[in-house]
Amino acid sequence: NAGVTQTPKFQVLKTGQSMTLQCAQDMNHNSMYWYRQDPGMGLRLIYYSASEGTTDKGEVPNGYNVSRLNKREFSLRLESAAPSQTSVYFCASSSLTGGNTEAFFGQGTRLTVV
Amino acid sequence: DQQVKQNSPSLSVQEGRISILNCDYTNSMFDYFLWYKKYPAEGPTFLISISSIKDKNEDGRFTVFLNKSAKHLSLHIVPSQPGDSAVYFCAASDAGSGNTGKLIFGQGTTLQVKP
């Protein structure tokens, strides 16, 4: 049981380049999330998908797009990377059954934009 | 506007003693609170949670206390072990507003447990 799997683990981009971060979960969860972690800021929500076919903005959505490809997969795209997007990105999923909002996280993608 | 705050960036305790990590929140609509533990180069892992209808939840060495009137929660680890050394994040959610599962995180507290 892999849980939440993110690819790649590390990436260096030049300013203006684009890339897609991939995320897949095998827990049959309905909801999936993308967070970024910056020093001293904790984790902040970028986008989320409450269920297959829906996506919504979180706290810091500017510069990102997402796609909920199917129930398992939720990708995050940077169309034109900027140095301010240098961060560690975490994908998470949650079942939300019984009001429990416990989320399970992937191992993270460390992105550097130069 | 930081809705969830962990005002202590770091905490150092001796093995076997109690570790107390604190968290404050401002949004009175939060009704579910969680603690996550994070090791370097890994994702956060769920530790323990508490619903706003309770004031205490215990799981082994870990106990979370919630004081709604003070908008404050704390995580107690007894006894502390060197393997507990990690970054601890407090998180909150407002399950009442559509139950989207969105979490608001604090800045984190780095716990070091010395042998």
Side-chain angles (χ1 to χ4, degrees):
Chain A
N1 190 346
V4 179
T5 303
Q6 293 182 232
T7 55
K9 291 186 179 179
F10 302 95
Q11 184 72 48
V12 178
L13 289 179
K14 293 183 179 179
T15 298
Q17 286 185 315
S18 63
M19 79 161 295
T20 299
L21 282 66
Q22 307 287 353
C23 175
Q25 53 94 6
D26 61 4
M27 295 174 283
N28 201 37
H29 287 167
N30 287 319
S31 301
M32 297 185 72
Y33 314 85
W34 277 103
Y35 291 87
R36 60 178 287 175
Q37 184 195 3
D38 301 294
M41 306 271 302
L43 283 80
R44 292 181 293 168
L45 183 64
I46 304 170
Y47 269 93
Y48 68 100
S49 171
S51 61
E52 187 178 355
T54 68
T55 61
D56 284 289
K57 295 179 180 179
E59 183 184 355
V60 288
N62 291 344
Y64 305 95
N65 285 301
V66 290
S67 295
R68 184 73 183 269
L69 305 172
N70 47 55
K71 191 171 186 178
R72 290 187 63 250
E73 298 173 287
F74 187 39
S75 62
L76 178 72
R77 183 161 179 83
L78 288 70
E79 290 291 351
S80 179
S84 61
Q85 294 178 304
T86 293
S87 187
V88 182
Y89 292 84
F90 291 101
C91 177
S93 70
S94 178
S95 66
L96 298 184
T97 54
N100 184 342
T101 55
E102 173 190 340
F104 294 83
F105 285 81
Q107 79 277 24
T109 296
R110 184 173 293 275
L111 175 67
T112 302
V113 182
V114 298
Chain B
D1 179 28
Q2 191 84 21
Q3 297 186 70
V4 178
K5 295 181 181 180
Q6 294 175 256
N7 293 316
S8 297
S10 62
L11 174 67
S12 181
V13 301
Q14 207 65 35
E15 180 179 6
R17 307 296 290 268
I18 185 171
S19 295
I20 300 177
L21 294 91
N22 294 303
C23 179
D24 297 296
Y25 62 96
T26 58
N27 189 341
S28 59
M29 299 302 293
F30 288 149
D31 56 4
Y32 197 75
F33 303 90
L34 308 90
W35 283 95
Y36 280 84
K37 177 179 181 180
K38 184 183 179 305
Y39 292 118
E42 294 184 10
T45 55
F46 171 74
L47 194 57
I48 192 169
S49 62
I50 188 167
S51 166
S52 60
I53 62 173
K54 296 184 177 181
D55 55 17
K56 176 182 176 181
N57 188 27
E58 190 172 356
D59 184 2
R61 297 186 296 114
F62 303 91
T63 303
V64 56
F65 296 91
L66 175 62
N67 183 333
K68 285 180 62 179
S69 61
K71 294 189 176 68
H72 177 83
L73 64 156
S74 61
L75 174 68
H76 292 209
I77 306 174
V78 183
S80 301
Q81 299 174 354
D84 296 329
S85 297
V87 179
Y88 289 79
F89 289 101
C90 169
S93 72
D94 173 11
S97 60
N99 195 22
T100 59
K102 296 186 294 182
L103 295 175
I104 308 297
F105 283 84
Q107 306 96 310
T109 297
T110 300
L111 173 66
Q112 181 185 31
V113 180
K114 297 179 178 179

